[in-house]
Amino acid sequence: MEKPFKDALPVLDAIHRAGEEAYFVGGSVRDRIMSRPIGDIDIATSARPEQIKEIFLKTVDIGIEHGTILVLFKGASYEVTTYRTETGYTDYRRPDKVEFVTSLNEDLKRRDFTINAMAMDSAGGLIDPFGGKEDIARREIRTVGDPADRFGEDALRMMRAARFASQLGFKIEEATFTSMKKMAPLLSHIAVERKKAEFEKLLGGKWRKEGLSIMSRTGIVEYLPGLSGREGDLENCLNLDIENLDTDEMWVLLLYCLGFDKQGSESFLRSWKMSNKQIALLTSLLQYMKERMEADWDISSLFEAGKKAIASVERLVEAAGGNASNETIEKWLSEYENLPIKDKKELAVSGGDLIRWEGKNGGPWVKEKMAAIERAVLLGAVENNQLMIKEWLSRCNQT
């Protein structure tokens, strides 16, 4: 058995010694079958939350009302959840009532997709009552039971289906896809923050084109911030080479395809509840991208953008069909590395030095002269040395 599961076996054994059932469940089981990297290990058990707290010395109540206890064991953490059923989803997201049960099958029945509704015992044996392994072999995403029931319980599951298609390269089973088209309006009840979390995972998937296409073909995009009525612009993105972009770069390319200016971009990103820091990053990348689509980098723009942004912009320009490639990334990064300074803080003089040398109070003139010094150093007009910069300023003042 693989290391993550092997490390967690003592947790299962401790629950078994207390006379209760315990199994590995969810994404870790799916990923083991698919030979994918295994992330968090989740455990389902017949034991009640209060029993789990008695069995283990270190626990955290992260969702005790829904039966989930975080067990801390030998430097690792495991979510241990009591078998449960759920009823009454009046907000189309969370159950109104959770009832603890003693049947593993009943617990698996409440889950979203067959590929996530499998369990594994401590010997590696698979419990798969809904055909998840077969769906993995078919590379298909299918709900557990009636898709209308699953999506009516939690509308966000429709976005999760598209996200799994993006991450796994799977297709959506026909009845599940048809139900997504019919029930997409339920997403209007889901908080933007939850939609954003799923959308960003989709944008980061290897098969993101398929994921975005599913969002468009099912009508889900109509219930995403700023995307209603923009299916055509989204289709333009799907015609581009987007496989090598990271999540931030995908956001920027989306802004580009939507044709937003700076103000429009900021408004769109705010509608997704993004932080000011992320908005500033994405809008600056968009501006650099637009400039780079029209002309090569110059020394000032290389300095302002920085190493990471340069590489991102080159990938974006290449994706959009501009004059960029792996070779241009290397070229411009080499130009950047050859700059005499790569940060304003590296300048050999400060505003305080200028005030002392000039013998007058600070003001806008300090910022203007610091900018002139920065440009002169970047262009090689003066060496980044305090004495030489002072002499250069003196010569400038005399002319």
Side-chain angles (χ1 to χ4, degrees):
M1 189 174 289
E2 294 84 350
K3 188 180 189 315
F5 291 109
K6 188 175 181 180
D7 291 344
L9 281 176
V11 177
L12 263 62
D13 292 341
I15 298 173
H16 292 158
R17 286 195 299 272
E20 300 290 343
E21 297 177 3
Y23 297 88
F24 299 119
V25 293
S28 62
V29 179
R30 176 198 69 224
D31 291 340
R32 181 177 190 256
I33 293 171
M34 295 183 65
S35 299
R36 283 166 49 90
I38 296 166
D40 295 335
I41 301 291
D42 294 333
I43 295 168
T45 179
S46 59
R48 298 298 180 97
E50 60 270 20
Q51 291 175 279
I52 295 300
K53 295 179 70 172
E54 291 177 0
I55 293 170
F56 298 98
L57 294 175
K58 296 181 179 180
T59 62
V60 180
D61 296 353
I62 61 170
I64 192 168
E65 69 278 7
H66 292 149
T68 301
I69 299 293
L70 190 70
V71 172
L72 307 178
F73 181 80
K74 290 189 175 180
S77 60
Y78 305 98
E79 286 192 12
V80 180
T81 303
T82 303
Y83 301 157
R84 71 191 193 208
T85 59
E86 302 171 345
T87 54
Y89 297 79
T90 53
D91 66 354
Y92 303 101
R93 181 68 186 101
R94 293 174 296 270
D96 297 332
K97 182 181 179 181
V98 171
E99 183 178 349
F100 298 143
V101 295
T102 58
S103 166
L104 173 64
N105 274 21
E106 283 297 309
D107 182 79
L108 296 177
K109 187 188 295 185
R110 70 176 173 82
R111 297 173 185 265
D112 53 7
F113 307 110
T114 61
I115 60 174
N116 297 327
M118 298 179 288
M120 186 175 73
D121 62 27
S122 57
L126 187 68
I127 297 90
D128 182 19
F130 306 106
K133 187 174 182 180
E134 292 178 0
D135 284 339
I136 288 174
R138 285 193 291 262
R139 302 183 66 81
E140 191 169 74
I141 297 167
R142 178 168 58 92
T143 59
V144 176
D146 187 340
D149 290 341
R150 298 293 81 77
F151 297 143
E153 292 165 352
D154 182 355
L156 195 65
R157 285 170 170 169
M158 290 180 276
M159 289 191 69
R160 281 170 58 83
R163 185 251 290 185
F164 282 125
S166 173
Q167 292 178 323
L168 304 177
F170 285 14
K171 303 296 182 182
I172 309 289
E173 179 264 340
E174 184 177 354
T176 302
F177 187 87
T178 299
S179 186
M180 289 168 66
K181 292 174 67 176
K182 180 180 179 181
M183 304 189 75
L186 292 182
L187 283 163
S188 61
H189 298 281
I190 302 300
V192 171
E193 292 85 353
R194 293 185 179 276
K195 294 178 185 178
K196 177 176 178 284
E198 289 297 332
F199 193 60
E200 289 199 318
K201 290 175 184 177
L202 182 152
L203 292 180
K206 182 178 179 181
W207 291 272
R208 61 192 65 169
K209 276 192 177 183
E210 177 62 20
L212 287 169
S213 176
I214 289 168
M215 297 280 242
S216 179
R217 288 183 286 126
T218 56
I220 286 175
V221 291
E222 286 297 310
Y223 304 94
L224 301 182
L227 290 178
S228 179
R230 307 299 296 267
E231 290 88 349
D233 297 317
L234 190 59
E235 288 296 326
N236 290 338
C237 266
L238 298 183
N239 292 327
L240 302 178
D241 183 11
I242 63 177
E243 280 76 12
N244 295 323
L245 304 181
D246 65 22
T247 303
D248 281 343
E249 291 161 5
M250 279 300 302
W251 277 114
V252 176
L253 192 66
L254 185 58
L255 294 172
Y256 181 79
C257 291
L258 292 170
F260 287 130
D261 58 14
K262 187 176 188 295
Q263 184 177 356
S265 297
E266 290 176 351
S267 177
F268 174 78
L269 297 174
R270 283 197 194 95
S271 72
W272 280 94
K273 306 294 186 182
M274 288 195 182
S275 67
N276 290 335
K277 181 178 180 181
Q278 191 172 12
I279 290 173
L281 169 65
L282 298 180
T283 54
S284 67
L285 286 175
L286 177 64
Q287 185 59 37
Y288 286 130
M289 177 190 177
K290 288 180 176 181
E291 292 172 359
R292 178 65 180 89
M293 290 290 288
E294 299 296 328
D296 285 346
W297 296 92
D298 59 27
I299 287 176
S300 294
S301 59
L302 287 172
F303 173 75
E304 290 170 2
K307 185 175 182 179
K308 185 175 180 181
I310 293 166
S312 287
V313 169
E314 287 300 298
R315 286 191 290 269
L316 283 163
V317 171
E318 181 179 14
N323 182 28
S325 63
N326 287 337
E327 288 72 22
T328 64
I329 292 178
E330 293 179 5
K331 171 188 174 183
W332 295 118
L333 288 180
S334 177
E335 293 274 354
Y336 173 78
E337 292 299 337
N338 288 330
L339 294 178
I341 57 171
K342 299 177 182 64
D343 191 285
K344 295 178 186 294
K345 295 178 182 178
E346 294 179 12
L347 276 176
V349 299
S350 66
D353 293 326
L354 298 186
I355 291 171
R356 188 173 66 254
W357 294 342
E358 296 286 343
K360 59 184 182 180
N361 294 331
W365 68 271
V366 177
K367 183 177 180 180
E368 293 172 3
K369 283 207 171 184
M370 287 296 293
I373 293 168
E374 177 187 293
R375 181 165 180 79
V377 170
L378 286 171
L379 293 175
V382 62
E383 186 177 331
N384 188 33
N385 173 279
Q386 190 179 76
L387 180 59
M388 291 184 175
I389 291 173
K390 186 177 182 180
E391 292 175 352
W392 176 80
L393 283 173
S394 179
R395 292 196 300 272
C396 291
N397 289 336
Q398 294 172 5
T399 59

